[in-house]
């Protein structure tokens, strides 16, 4: 990667599903050179090569996702479930075929495609919150898919539920002078 003109990281669907990520931002944060901007403990936006999220271009199946922030061009990735992704590609170098405003990088998200025949998978994960000393954290998902009309159209349905306690310690101090 040090001598390459184009730095690309690719993550497959199997690798995406191995880890208990809550959304696409969390999945992207596992790649080198990408940091996650968090809100209330959950990954929200990504920072590529140290540049703010407004300098990234994010596409979904080749279509550019418009900005979700009224103040800049950044995209909130909490709305994209990693269960629906089949691949993630991150281009960290600006090349002539990329958008000029994507100085930070270009992220290409590819959605799952329905396979022939009826297929499905069920996943369940559980956890423990050491901070609160509590069990009961969970994430469960059901994904179903098939092709219809002589394989002319595919249908993928994804249902998910999660419970996460993102507790925090807050320490404040107040001084009273008399």
């Amino acid at each position: 990667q040090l001598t390459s003109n184009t730095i690309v990281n690719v993550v497959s669907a199997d690798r995406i599903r191995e880890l208990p990520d809550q959304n696409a931002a969390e999945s992207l944060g596992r790649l080198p050179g990408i940091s996650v901007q968090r809100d209330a403990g959950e990954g929200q936006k990504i920072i590529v090569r140290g540049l703010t999220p407004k300098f990234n271009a994010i596409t979904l199946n080749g279509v550019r996702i418009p900005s979700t922030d009224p103040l800049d061009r950044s995209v909130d990735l909490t709305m994209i479930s990693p269960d629906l992704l089949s691949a993630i590609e991150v281009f960290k170098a600006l090349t002539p075929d990329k958008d000029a405003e994507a100085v930070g990088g270009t992220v290409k998200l590819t959605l799952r495609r329905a396979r022939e025949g009826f297929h499905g998978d069920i996943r369940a994960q559980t956890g423990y919150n050491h901070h609160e000393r509590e069990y009961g954290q969970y994430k469960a998902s059901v994904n179903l898919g098939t092709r219809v009309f002589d394989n002319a159209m595919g249908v993928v349905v994804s249902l998910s539920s999660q419970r996460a306690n993102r507790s925090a310690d807050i320490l404040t101090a107040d001084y009273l002078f008399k």
Side-chain angles (χ1 to χ4, degrees):
Q1 287 186 359
L2 293 174
T3 60
S4 175
N5 289 336
T6 305
I7 302 171
V8 181
N9 292 110
V10 179
V11 183
S12 68
D14 293 334
R15 182 71 177 135
I16 294 169
R17 285 183 196 79
E18 280 180 6
L19 302 167
D21 295 326
Q22 307 300 324
N23 57 45
E26 298 282 348
S27 297
L28 284 162
R30 296 182 184 277
L31 295 173
I34 297 180
S35 302
V36 178
Q37 193 176 60
R38 298 184 180 281
D39 182 31
E42 184 175 3
Q44 183 179 29
K45 299 177 183 179
I46 59 165
I47 300 168
V48 181
R49 297 185 309 136
L51 297 171
T52 64
K54 70 180 180 181
F55 292 120
N56 300 325
I58 300 176
T59 64
L60 187 63
N61 284 351
V63 178
R64 177 101 183 245
I65 299 176
S67 172
T68 56
D69 193 327
L71 303 177
D72 62 25
R73 296 186 322 245
S74 63
V75 176
D76 184 354
L77 295 172
T78 57
M79 61 187 167
I80 301 173
S81 170
D83 293 330
L84 290 176
L85 296 176
S86 67
I88 298 173
E89 295 178 64
V90 180
F91 298 85
K92 297 179 189 169
L94 190 60
T95 57
D97 62 329
K98 304 290 185 282
D99 291 331
E101 69 249 12
V103 177
T106 302
V107 177
K108 292 185 177 183
L109 303 173
T110 306
L111 293 177
R112 289 174 72 172
R113 295 179 55 94
R115 300 181 307 187
E116 279 190 49
F118 183 77
H119 295 303
D121 63 72
I122 298 172
R123 293 181 0 160
Q125 301 166 342
T126 185
Y128 173 73
N129 184 332
H130 183 71
H131 185 266
E132 295 294 318
R133 296 183 183 5
E134 129 184 308
Y135 289 99
Q137 316 290 315
Y138 68 86
K139 179 181 176 188
S141 65
V142 176
N143 296 296
L144 305 171
T146 189
R147 297 204 67 82
V148 293
F149 305 123
D150 292 327
N151 293 329
M153 182 173 84
V155 178
V156 175
V157 176
S158 179
L159 303 170
S160 63
S161 176
Q162 99 180 38
R163 180 177 183 269
N165 183 351
R166 294 184 182 90
S167 57
D169 279 329
I170 299 175
L171 176 65
T172 60
D174 189 16
Y175 297 97
L176 179 62
F177 293 103
K178 291 186 179 188

